[in-house]
Amino acid sequence: MAHDFPLFGDPSGGSHDPSGLSREAVLAAVEARLLTTFGEPSGRAAVTFLGADRIEVLRFGPDAEGLVRYATLGMSAAPMADPTAPVADQVRGPRAELVLTVRGGRDGVLRTLATFAATPQVEGLVLAPGGSLDLGSPLWDGAPFTSVLAAEPGGLVPDLELDEPADPVRFLPLLPMTPNEAGWKRVHGAGALEERWLQHGTDLRDPDRRAVPLD
């Protein structure tokens, strides 16, 4: 894995014609949607993985509530392919980017987000709401979380329609999970875990929160 930094350097970038379905056009449209939603980024970084295309992570904020949002840029350049399909469709299929919200920010999470965003290319994974991604180590230094749950899109960043026959780009919010929560989710399902969080008023944006009671 190679890293192309400086970390969260100059947020300025070139513009592209958002028409068509080329990688450059799709990502230009995705970035425009993120900027329309969150404003100008406060920084950005990029990671290049062996055997995968470049993934960027844009940082937005902190906002008036102290919230920092991290959004990937690159995962949606190609549709996620069913690993059982004999031939991958280069146009049709689900496309997504990832968004993580952390109060106060944790810039160390950018490597984790880039890793997660590259997973469909590297491992042939199709990530959908209710699915999870497990890093196997803290999401950032000192984090009590080792995995994330992909929540329903559309509430934070509206879906981005692309020219037919391509599927829209969906922006999946990521909800950090402690190891105990991740294990409980595997047994009881994503909906049950989300209900637990709701019942206990869990602040999923708190980088230091404790696991929700699971008894």
Side-chain angles (χ1 to χ4, degrees):
M1 182 172 65
H3 301 284
D4 178 10
F5 285 90
L7 173 66
F8 290 121
D10 180 4
S12 64
S15 59
H16 304 278
D17 182 359
S19 64
L21 288 174
S22 69
R23 171 183 171 83
E24 293 77 12
V26 170
L27 296 187
V30 169
E31 183 170 359
R33 174 57 54 87
L34 290 171
L35 268 60
T36 299
T37 304
F38 298 130
E40 288 296 322
S42 55
R44 68 197 303 159
V47 182
T48 303
F49 297 90
L50 183 64
D53 292 324
R54 170 189 174 104
I55 300 291
E56 289 191 80
V57 180
L58 278 61
R59 180 186 62 200
F60 299 91
D63 63 13
E65 298 181 62
L67 299 177
V68 177
R69 305 188 195 279
Y70 301 92
T72 63
L73 180 61
M75 181 177 173
S76 63
M80 292 179 280
D82 183 345
T84 64
V87 179
D89 193 321
Q90 299 301 309
V91 177
R92 298 174 180 84
R95 297 175 188 249
E97 296 289 356
L98 310 176
V99 182
L100 176 70
T101 302
V102 182
R103 178 168 284 105
R106 292 294 187 274
D107 286 356
V109 79
L110 76 95
R111 297 176 188 272
T112 298
L113 290 179
T115 299
F116 287 162
T119 301
Q121 293 185 61
V122 176
E123 299 183 13
L125 172 73
V126 177
L127 181 63
S132 55
L133 295 165
D134 193 341
L135 188 66
S137 59
L139 299 184
W140 59 82
D141 289 344
F145 318 107
T146 57
S147 59
V148 293
L149 172 66
E152 289 289 339
L156 189 60
V157 184
D159 293 351
L160 174 66
E161 297 292 335
L162 299 177
D163 292 341
E164 294 184 352
D167 290 19
V169 177
R170 309 174 81 192
F171 298 84
L172 301 177
L174 298 183
L175 309 177
M177 297 186 291
T178 68
N180 285 345
E181 290 172 339
W184 200 85
K185 179 257 179 185
R186 285 192 292 270
V187 175
H188 300 280
L193 177 59
E194 290 180 299
E195 183 63 27
R196 284 283 176 134
W197 283 333
L198 183 62
Q199 289 175 353
H200 290 272
T202 306
D203 184 359
L204 298 171
R205 302 166 300 183
D206 181 355
D208 301 310
R209 73 169 179 87
R210 295 183 178 181
V212 70
L214 298 172
D215 297 332

